Amino acid sequence: MKLNKLFFLLCLMGGATLAFAQKPELVPTEKKPKQFLEYYIGDYKFKETNNWFLFGFGPTFYPSIPSNTNANFSVDFHYFDKKDRLWNAGYTAISQGYLALGAGTIYLHELKFSRGLYRVEKQYFKMAAFIGPSVDYTSYYPSDTTKSIAGTRSYGVGIQAKADFIYKPIYDFGIAVSPFINVNTIQTAAGITISVYSSNAMVKSYAKSK
């Protein structure tokens, strides 16, 4: 009988403790911004996720106009947004010469914006692939008796894709080879651009901060 009373008393005290116990105060945790990964090569520290810039020229394989150089010129900026998504914005000119800075030799202007589909980066090598829309413009059609350049529109839209194969003997600087294709309502174009590569991967000299 005494054991039953003792058990009842312990249950009563435990229930009262649970009923009147204060709930723990929930302290909101501060949301920290996502940090780029960093690693070291020799005495230098680098960001694994970095933006890069390409500037270059190259041959155009399609259309192939007889007795012309069939070249292209391209400027591209590649960047990561706050959610670590990779994008590319740039300009490409399809022309009749490698130094095509005048309107008399450029027959297709392309403004492009694309999403990165794939990227891998090592110390001396980087590869990335992009696809997205393009806005195209022409104000000049070169003389072409073989009719390899088609279309009658001055403005057009299309879809374009490219891949960057980058060799960087110095981590922030190197050379890129970028095959591309632009299928649009004016004139489909395809070729390769050979570019100078630069990036913002290096954060600072690790040796100076030790």
Side-chain angles (χ1 to χ4, degrees), residues 86-158:
L86 179 59
W87 302 93
N88 165 230
Y91 165 79
T92 297
I94 308 299
S95 64
Q96 293 178 291
Y98 284 107
L99 298 177
L101 302 179
T105 54
I106 299 176
Y107 58 85
L108 184 66
H109 301 265
E110 172 194 353
L111 292 175
K112 54 190 176 180
F113 183 75
S114 53
R115 172 74 183 274
L117 301 178
Y118 179 79
R119 170 186 169 270
V120 61
E121 181 163 6
K122 303 296 182 182
Q123 179 175 350
Y124 298 109
F125 176 78
K126 175 187 288 187
M127 183 177 70
F130 301 85
I131 188 169
S134 68
V135 177
D136 305 275
Y137 169 75
T138 184
S139 60
Y140 173 79
Y141 289 91
S143 175
D144 179 22
T145 57
T146 63
K147 305 297 182 184
S148 61
I149 290 187
T152 57
R153 298 180 176 86
S154 294
Y155 292 92
V157 294

Side-chain angles (χ1 to χ4, degrees), residues 5-185:
K5 289 182 178 181
L6 180 60
F7 178 75
F8 178 75
L9 182 61
L10 289 175
C11 291
L12 186 62
M13 292 175 63
T17 302
L18 293 175
F20 293 101
Q22 292 184 349
K23 293 183 179 180
E25 184 179 356
L26 298 178
V27 180
T29 57
E30 182 181 356
K31 187 176 181 181
K32 296 182 179 180
K34 190 170 185 178
Q35 299 293 324
F36 287 135
L37 297 177
E38 295 179 345
Y39 58 103
Y40 303 93
I41 299 176
D43 292 334
Y44 297 93
K45 183 166 67 175
F46 295 88
K47 294 186 300 185
E48 186 181 24
T49 306
N50 53 77
N51 306 326
W52 72 93
F53 176 80
L54 297 179
F55 173 85
F57 300 85
T60 299
F61 302 131
Y62 185 86
S64 179
I65 307 171
S67 72
N68 282 283
T69 304
N70 299 304
N72 69 82
F73 159 76
S74 187
V75 179
D76 285 279
F77 179 63
H78 312 75
Y79 65 96
F80 286 87
D81 62 18
K82 293 182 179 180
K83 295 183 178 180
D84 283 355
R85 295 173 299 192
L86 179 59
W87 302 93
N88 165 230
Y91 165 79
T92 297
I94 308 299
S95 64
Q96 293 178 291
Y98 284 107
L99 298 177
L101 302 179
T105 54
I106 299 176
Y107 58 85
L108 184 66
H109 301 265
E110 172 194 353
L111 292 175
K112 54 190 176 180
F113 183 75
S114 53
R115 172 74 183 274
L117 301 178
Y118 179 79
R119 170 186 169 270
V120 61
E121 181 163 6
K122 303 296 182 182
Q123 179 175 350
Y124 298 109
F125 176 78
K126 175 187 288 187
M127 183 177 70
F130 301 85
I131 188 169
S134 68
V135 177
D136 305 275
Y137 169 75
T138 184
S139 60
Y140 173 79
Y141 289 91
S143 175
D144 179 22
T145 57
T146 63
K147 305 297 182 184
S148 61
I149 290 187
T152 57
R153 298 180 176 86
S154 294
Y155 292 92
V157 294
I159 184 169
Q160 48 81 30
K162 73 157 188 161
D164 292 336
F165 300 92
I166 301 166
Y167 173 65
K168 44 193 179 76
I170 303 175
Y171 199 85
D172 269 334
F173 300 96
I175 297 175
V177 177
S178 304
F180 69 90
I181 185 169
N182 176 15
V183 180
N184 60 78
T185 55

